Amino acid sequence: MTDFTLSHIREAAGRIAGVADATPLVPSALSARFGHEVLLKLEIAQPIGAFKLRGALSAIAALPADTVGVTCCSTGNHGRGVAYAARARRMQAVICMSRLAPEAKVAGVRALGAEVRIIGDSQDEAQAEAERLAREEGLVDISPFDDPLVVAGQGTIGLELVESRPDLTAILVPLSGGGLAGGVAFAAKALNPAIRVVGITMDRGAAMHASLRAGYPVEVEEVPSLADSLGGGIGLANRLSFPLCRDHLDETILVTEADIYRAMQALYYEDRIVCEGASSVGIAAMLTGKFKAEGTTATIITGRNLDMTQHAAIMTGQDIILGDVTVKGESYGA
């Protein structure tokens, strides 16, 4: 932990410059509803449609020229980022995903030329295969969240937010394995210690939230969610993203599947944004009053790689079945 500094994030900004940086920061049409300006950091504008390219590119750009290839476990967007960055360097990429990964994300990884291996029913099982590939076949395992080069890449979002809008009072960050939340919080607070950084996640299978409450990394059961990108464990041997989140997040907030459903609708109908459920959790926290803005607030729209059939169903108010849970549909504004 003491070895991770703001200079690492600034170095990552140099590695990703011109490819994965400088995404738009735009005011939300929902601002008037919240009583303060709300800004949307549009990581959906990334070449892969998600912020994960920052961390993957940061890590892969730093690898030696003789690297055999790379591997990782992923719920989808990290794998897409690794595949994109590996293709640019003409490296082999093997992406390990569980059966919970949406088919749209599996197809997106394959479209970038990577091999996909579907392993088990959890991120932990997929991670075990990535570790085997690293151990037995010499591939470099690029962690989705617990690699300092990856975290530094994600942290560049924090730099961009605070440097472009020094008047920000709060940043709402989707919280999963903690690479994004930890990196953004570290960078933002290094520039402005007074800024609040809040991690937002779903209320089912939220590994980092549960770990922060316990005081150490814990395992959780992975379940289907509209915020599928936020699923998966943080690793019981987590050495970086857990302490970063513990030391730099001001709080974590849980939102329900119904909250996420309504926030996806609001972003579509008010801001004309198509995004994953994970992208909408900051807006969900504000719409429900679980987070109340006290000044200019930014939230990160992390990705747009979703099942468009499911999105169409949500926009038209249909019920959504997630395993043994049904999210009751409701037309927007009803």
Side-chain angles (χ1 to χ4, degrees):
M1 271 298 300
T2 56
D3 294 334
F4 190 78
T5 67
L6 187 62
S7 65
H8 291 104
I9 298 176
R10 293 203 182 280
E11 289 165 7
R15 287 193 295 274
I16 71 172
V19 179
D21 59 340
T23 51
L25 180 64
V26 302
S28 172
L30 294 161
S31 295
R33 189 179 305 187
F34 302 132
H36 294 278
E37 185 177 27
V38 174
L39 301 170
L40 309 176
K41 182 64 166 166
L42 299 182
E43 290 297 297
I44 56 177
Q46 291 283 3
I48 65 161
F51 80 94
K52 288 284 191 177
L53 182 58
R54 291 176 183 260
L57 187 61
S58 169
I60 290 175
L63 291 176
D66 62 352
T67 301
V68 173
V70 293
T71 186
C72 70
C73 78
S74 175
T75 57
N77 286 332
H78 178 62
R80 204 164 182 150
V82 168
Y84 185 99
R87 186 177 68 175
R89 287 199 56 179
R90 302 182 184 278
M91 285 182 179
Q92 176 191 11
V94 181
I95 313 302
C96 303
M97 307 172 77
S98 83
R99 295 186 185 94
L100 289 178
E103 183 54 40
K105 291 186 175 178
V106 174
V109 172
R110 288 191 174 121
L112 290 168
E115 177 188 346
V116 175
R117 297 191 183 179
I118 304 299
I119 307 292
D121 296 310
S122 72
Q123 280 286 89
D124 289 339
E125 291 176 274
Q127 178 60 42
E129 175 64 5
E131 290 171 1
R132 187 195 68 78
L133 289 168
R135 184 174 60 251
E136 298 180 9
E137 299 187 22
L139 303 183
V140 175
D141 182 12
I142 308 293
S143 170
F145 50 78
D146 204 33
D147 178 310
L149 293 170
V150 171
V151 174
Q154 321 304 28
T156 60
I157 297 175
L159 289 185
E160 291 177 20
L161 283 170
V162 177
E163 289 175 348
S164 63
R165 288 298 299 262
D167 61 321
L168 281 176
T169 63
I171 302 172
L172 307 184
V173 190
L175 177 64
S176 180
L180 174 65
V184 167
F186 185 92
K189 286 179 175 291
L191 297 179
N192 176 8
I195 197 168
R196 287 182 60 76
V197 184
V198 180
I200 319 288
T201 190
M202 71 287 201
D203 66 354
R204 304 190 310 145
M208 183 60 80
H209 174 83
S211 297
L212 292 172
R213 289 295 177 92
Y216 52 87
V218 299
E219 292 180 336
V220 298
E221 180 184 359
E222 291 182 46
V223 295
S225 173
L226 291 175
D228 58 89
S229 295
L230 303 185
I234 70 167
L236 296 182
N238 187 294
R239 60 193 175 90
L240 180 59
S241 66
F242 173 77
L244 282 175
C245 289
R246 179 194 63 206
D247 296 344
H248 299 286
L249 286 179
D250 291 285
E251 67 173 311
T252 61
I253 294 173
L254 299 179
V255 292
T256 68
E257 297 297 328
D259 297 339
I260 295 167
Y261 184 112
R262 311 293 179 241
M264 291 175 72
Q265 288 183 323
L267 281 163
Y268 180 76
Y269 283 106
E270 304 295 341
D271 285 305
R272 301 299 189 263
I273 289 175
V274 173
C275 66
E276 300 174 35
S279 295
S280 76
V281 293
I283 294 297
M286 298 184 77
L287 287 172
T288 58
K290 294 174 182 178
F291 177 86
K292 291 181 169 57
E294 297 180 354
T296 304
T297 300
T299 188
I300 305 167
I301 307 300
T302 47
R304 57 173 166 78
N305 301 317
L306 72 168
D307 182 331
M308 291 305 295
T309 300
Q310 183 187 76
H311 185 267
I314 293 171
M315 295 312 116
T316 54
Q318 299 177 41
D319 292 354
I320 300 294
I321 299 174
L322 300 168
D324 60 355
V325 172
T326 298
V327 184
K328 295 300 293 181
E330 183 178 287
S331 297
Y332 182 69

